[in-house]
């Protein structure tokens, strides 16, 4: 696999407009879904997967115009969003009425498995959320009961194996397959009620990142690193993140002033770089790539890598690594 195959540029993202059961429901029908790394949780086999390599987590995205909704649902693994652009309302509860929090560019929210969540673009422009979903196989989406009813009104039936049957297109449920039963009150009762105030406990705002100049990477000039997700990790010289519970992956923010560089080092687990703003030059075993805003790159395990901010502005990147406690980087 060459380096280009490990890079997904924002401008090359291939959306699926029919990934989920709510794809026709008014308010949700303009939603674009992306599977950047890993199989994701799409209900549509036509969803395009940019990078199929297993990482222990999935990377995806959602792009929605103003007023567009992602319906209430939950997952069997942790779901984390980074607001890449715009302004988003995240709502908790089976009918979206338990709590609400508004997030802006750079903010991060981590949703545990037992919270029904949905989100809406409440900004002025089309905007993009970058998402990390736990495990190689995150299982199926559990939709709030009313999502099934609305979908049926618009001709879509979700089957038990996760596929969608489009009755408007004349499809009929294949023999031997049955529809996914509507989510039961018992299943709903297994979820927490989370108020607007309590939602602050699953969010870290861009302005509240605890920047460190003393981590394994940030001891170099012009580099700062912040732990956002996961427990403290001695190997990286980082404290626990604001969202410090186990996710089986970690999320870090890295900030580079103009010209700042992290010298050649190796790592022993998957490492995915997402550029939030600015430009980052990544060299892998001597080959170089320029990343810009919204671009995603997964670094080959064990390879030598350097990161340099080649742009005029500060560069902010989010890094996802496999495991709660990645190994120490080995400087060369
Ligand atoms: Fe989700």
């Amino acid at each position: 696999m060459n380096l280009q195959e490990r890079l997904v540029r924002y401008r090359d993202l291939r959306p699926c407009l029919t990934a989920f059961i709510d794809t026709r429901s008014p308010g949700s029908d303009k939603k674009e879904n992306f599977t950047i790394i890993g199989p994701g949780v799409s209900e549509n086999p036509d969803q395009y997967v940019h990078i199929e390599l297993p990482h222990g987590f999935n990377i995806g995205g959602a792009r929605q115009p103003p007023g567009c909704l992602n319906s209430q649902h939950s997952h069997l693994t942790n779901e984390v969003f980074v607001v890449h652009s715009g302004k988003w309302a995240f709502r908790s509860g089976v009918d979206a009425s338990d709590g609400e929090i508004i997030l802006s560019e750079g903010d991060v929210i981590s949703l545990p498995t037992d919270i029904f969540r949905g989100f809406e673009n409440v900004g002025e422009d089309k905007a993009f959320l970058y998402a990390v979903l736990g495990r190689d196989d995150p299982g199926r989406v559990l939709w709030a009961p009313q999502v099934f009813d609305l979908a049926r009104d618009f001709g879509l039936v979700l089957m038990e194996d996760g596929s969608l049957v489009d009755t408007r297109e004349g499809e009929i449920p294949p023999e031997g397959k049955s529809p996914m039963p509507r989510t039961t009150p018992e299943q709903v009762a297994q979820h927490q009620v989370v108020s607007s105030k309590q939602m602050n406990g699953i969010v870290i705002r861009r302005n509240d990142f605890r920047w460190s100049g003393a981590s394994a990477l940030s001891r170099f000039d012009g580099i700062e690193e912040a732990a956002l997700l996961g427990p403290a990790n001695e190997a990286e010289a980082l404290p626990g993140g604001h969202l410090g519970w186990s996710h089986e992956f970690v999320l870090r923010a890295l900030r580079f002033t103009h010209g700042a560089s992290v010298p050649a080092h190796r790592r022993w687990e998957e490492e995915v770089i997402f550029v939030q703003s600015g430009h980052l030059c990544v060299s892998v075993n001597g080959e170089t790539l320029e990343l810009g805003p919204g671009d995603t790159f997964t670094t080959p395990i064990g390879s030598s890598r350097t990161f340099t901010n080649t742009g005029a502005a500060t560069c902010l990147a989010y890094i996802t690594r496999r495991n709660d406690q990645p190994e120490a980087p080995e400087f060369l």
Side-chain angles (χ1 to χ4, degrees), residues 41 70 73-75 79 81 117 119 133 141:
V41 289
N70 190 303
H73 66 281
S74 71
H75 292 284
E79 184 175 44
F81 293 98
R117 82 294 307 260
F119 45 88
L133 193 59
V141 184

